Amino acid sequence: MRKLAIGLLCATLITGPVAASDEPYNAKVTVVFDHALPNVPGKSMRGVLVEYGPGGHNPSHTHPKSAFIYATVIEGSIKSQINDGPVKVYKTGENWIEVPGDHHRVSANASDSDPAKILAVFVLDTTATEMVLPAK
């Protein structure tokens, strides 16, 4: 029984950090605007402010299948990886896009000492309720 308990403890210690990385850390996501597009029935534009504290990050994720996203860094620097592309660091004023079906593998503050913010503008189906979907 003691060997089993020690084995379970070791397994927990080994997998603990992996499980922790699947949770947002020091990150706040706020929808700042949501407006139906009058000339494109069934589509809306939503603005999402993502605020990262020092060392903050969000887990690997995707977005609704209808979502086209334009993201711009408005403060600090952001580390980002889309699909199997390279991990890039974007500084204030720089931007990137995500097309429907993209996998956002890395989404993090590039600094352990300064905050960072992005504004992500989504064009997506008006009926979409979940903006961020856990990666599978």
Side-chain angles (χ1 to χ4, degrees):
M1 188 68 168
R2 183 176 174 169
K3 286 183 182 181
L4 177 62
I6 291 171
L8 289 172
L9 175 62
C10 289
T12 301
L13 292 174
I14 291 169
T15 60
V18 173
S21 69
D22 288 343
E23 295 295 322
Y25 170 75
N26 203 7
K28 179 182 174 188
V29 178
T30 307
V31 175
V32 293
F33 70 86
D34 185 354
H35 188 75
L37 296 174
N39 60 337
V40 187
K43 298 290 183 183
S44 288
M45 181 181 288
R46 292 186 192 145
V48 177
L49 179 65
V50 182
E51 300 172 273
Y52 292 106
H57 67 268
N58 277 313
S60 176
H61 61 273
T62 61
H63 298 285
K65 290 181 182 181
S66 65
F68 178 86
I69 303 153
Y70 168 83
T72 188
V73 180
I74 58 176
E75 179 183 332
S77 56
I78 298 291
K79 189 177 349 177
S80 182
Q81 180 187 23
I82 307 299
N83 299 317
D84 294 324
V87 175
K88 294 182 180 179
V89 174
Y90 296 89
K91 297 180 178 173
T92 301
E94 296 181 321
N95 57 72
W96 68 92
I97 63 165
E98 296 177 48
V99 298
D102 276 352
H103 181 178
H104 203 162
R105 294 183 182 277
V106 175
S107 181
N109 186 342
S111 173
D112 288 330
S113 59
D114 297 315
K117 295 180 187 177
I118 65 171
L119 178 64
V121 178
F122 288 65
V123 174
L124 73 169
D125 291 343
T126 299
T127 57
T129 55
E130 297 292 324
M131 302 291 289
V132 177
L133 308 166
K136 294 179 183 178

